[in-house]
Amino acid sequence: IRKYLEAVMEGLRKGKLVVAAGQEEFVLQPTDLLTFTVKAQKRGGAGRISLAISWRCPEEDAPKPGETLKIEA
């Protein structure tokens, strides 16, 4: 887990995160204005923490009005 979190931190510093699994790869380019959310739960003998980092895509990367969504398998 530590290795993944350190890689995310480094990607945020550089402004580029590459997430890959098998043949699939996503390149994310977080902006300077990030939102960070932390949620924690404890239920019975188990605990959970959820971390979320979000940002807005630059206008040129955002879908244009009227564009058709395309999802491939």
Side-chain angles (χ1 to χ4, degrees), residues 30-45:
T31 61
D32 290 333
L33 184 58
L34 302 172
T35 301
F36 181 62
T37 307
V38 179
K39 293 182 182 180
Q41 295 179 336
K42 185 175 179 184
R43 201 176 298 180

Side-chain angles (χ1 to χ4, degrees), residues 14-35:
K14 290 181 175 180
K16 180 180 178 182
L17 286 161
V18 179
V19 181
Q23 298 294 335
E24 294 192 50
E25 181 177 285
F26 295 94
V27 178
L28 304 171
Q29 295 177 306
T31 61
D32 290 333
L33 184 58
L34 302 172
T35 301

Side-chain angles (χ1 to χ4, degrees), residues 37-57:
T37 307
V38 179
K39 293 182 182 180
Q41 295 179 336
K42 185 175 179 184
R43 201 176 298 180
R48 171 182 289 191
I49 186 167
S50 298
L51 309 173
I53 302 168
S54 59
W55 60 91
R56 288 203 165 283
C57 294

